[in-house]
Amino acid sequence: LFLSIFVLIAVSVTIISCGSGGSSSSTTTHKPSGLTFRVFISNPLYPGATGVTGTNSPVLNIVDALQDILSTSFVSVAGDSAQPGLMALSPNLRYTLVYSPTGNTVTVVDNATETVAAASGSTSTLPPFSLPGFTESIAVNPFNTSAYAAVPTAPVLGEAPGAVEVLNLQGGGIAASIPVPGAHFVICSPDGNHVLVFSDNSDTVTVITTILIGTATDPRSYITGFDRPVWGIFTSSSGAYVFNCGAQCGGKSAGVSVLSLGASTPVSTAPVPAATYGLLNGSTLYVAGTAPPNPPGTNTCAGQTTAATTCGTLSVFNTSSMAVTATAVITDGYHDRMQISQNGQLY
């Protein structure tokens, strides 16, 4: 097993292939950059973006992913996103949603035209969505009609703060605000019918049934029996692997649980050293996390070339046997991003 671990600082990166938004011919025709395989990099201080010497403007820089060369083209989000950071890519690559912590806004970019997206049936662009607080997690449904943003500090009258904001990607505006105390991370099922919500300091996963949003029926249901669940990966429209953060998040034991929609508790749970994020590749699940030193003095990165005083663990998890088959030492911290390259290197 060969693993390369890289750290990306101060920017958010998203990779977009030629299939973004409609047919490949339309994307090739309308993309100003003319690139078929691109990387967007959020940059709040791009010099000269407006053509005025000495000015800095918020943009998404575009990199030619085949040549690793910065394009002269960029996506201007000036006036919409003051400080572009976190980005979320829609499942069919049509949109990139860009979050700005300044103002807590979300801007929708049309990947085909490399501009701010227009409202459905209109030539006017979608105005930025205003969230009631910060977010670290946005999920887009497979139809590009709605997106879901977890806002753990969203004020809720008479209840603990936290909500999932439903963004209307067709006409603009917040379509609904669903109270979920401490809602911090969200994932959407492949059919768009369900959203899993992971809350801070909770052993419960909240399930939102999207078709019930806006009706008289409460769209929320709950699956209990986890240990500080923080992330998940859908394996089908009704099943997912859930990552239990355990001791790293104030719980007891890290692990991977099998979730089945409709069940009241996990189908099964298997231990891993630590778990805050992961990636599924066939029957192999890569799981990253940083366990607290237990007993004290462990996780000291002994023998590793790093200035870190504690280290995390990458676990190679076999989903058929539900067991860890290998581990690798990685830098510490709260891990929440992972990608695998075409030549098998894990980032």
Side-chain angles (χ1 to χ4, degrees):
L1 175 68
F2 177 74
L3 302 172
S4 293
I5 312 299
F6 291 80
V7 178
L8 302 177
I9 301 175
V11 297
S12 182
V13 178
T14 189
I15 301 174
I16 305 165
S17 69
C18 61
S20 56
S23 66
S24 59
S25 60
S26 65
T27 58
T28 301
T29 300
H30 298 296
K31 285 183 299 184
S33 69
L35 300 175
T36 57
F37 191 44
R38 303 161 291 169
V39 176
F40 283 175
I41 303 176
S42 55
N43 184 354
L45 297 172
Y46 184 59
T50 60
V52 180
T53 303
T55 63
N56 296 313
S57 295
V59 304
L60 303 185
N61 284 123
I62 302 175
V63 174
D64 183 339
L66 296 178
Q67 304 296 326
D68 194 21
I69 297 174
L70 182 67
S71 171
T72 56
S73 296
F74 54 82
V75 181
S76 175
V77 290
D80 293 280
S81 182
Q83 190 179 2
L86 172 74
M87 290 184 282
L89 190 61
S90 64
N92 74 346
L93 311 183
R94 179 179 178 182
Y95 293 137
T96 297
L97 274 63
V98 185
Y99 169 68
S100 169
T102 300
N104 292 314
T105 60
V106 177
T107 300
V108 182
V109 170
D110 186 320
N111 294 332
T113 62
E114 295 175 351
T115 59
V116 175
S120 180
S122 172
T123 56
S124 300
T125 59
L126 280 170
F129 296 90
S130 295
L131 302 181
F134 79 91
T135 186
E136 290 187 276
S137 183
I138 302 172
V140 185
N141 75 1
F143 315 110
N144 299 307
T145 54
S146 298
Y148 308 91
V151 182
T153 61
V156 179
L157 184 64
E159 298 184 31
V164 173
E165 304 297 314
V166 183
L167 283 54
N168 181 349
L169 299 184
Q170 294 182 303
I174 304 296
S177 181
I178 303 170
V180 180
H184 207 137
F185 299 101
V186 288
I187 62 171
C188 189
S189 64
D191 60 5
N193 291 337
H194 297 92
V195 174
L196 300 186
V197 188
F198 306 97
S199 297
D200 293 331
N201 303 315
S202 173
D203 293 331
T204 298
V205 173
T206 301
V207 182
I208 296 175
T209 301
T210 57
I211 196 172
L212 297 178
I213 296 174
T215 71
T217 303
D218 190 343
R220 299 167 299 179
S221 59
Y222 307 94
I223 303 177
T224 61
F226 298 95
D227 193 335
R228 298 299 193 268
V230 293
W231 191 249
I233 297 175
F234 271 100
T235 56
S236 67
S237 293
S238 59
Y241 292 115
V242 170
F243 300 94
N244 296 289
C245 185
Q248 184 178 353
C249 297
K252 297 178 181 179
S253 302
V256 174
S257 294
V258 177
L259 174 149
S260 177
L261 293 176
S264 59
T265 58
V267 175
S268 62
T269 299
V272 295
T276 56
Y277 199 77
L279 181 149
L280 183 63
N281 184 29
S283 62
T284 299
L285 190 63
Y286 297 102
V287 185
T290 303
N294 185 23
T298 57
N299 284 8
T300 58
C301 309
Q304 303 296 317
T305 305
T306 175
T309 57
T310 60
C311 276
T313 303
L314 177 74
S315 299
V316 182
F317 187 85
N318 187 306
T319 58
S320 299
S321 62
M322 291 292 288
V324 175
T325 59
T327 61
V329 175
I330 57 177
T331 50
D332 60 355
Y334 190 101
H335 303 88
D336 60 4
R337 294 289 184 275
M338 193 182 297
Q339 287 289 345
I340 192 167
S341 66
Q342 291 182 335
N343 64 348
Q345 295 188 71
L346 194 65
Y347 295 78

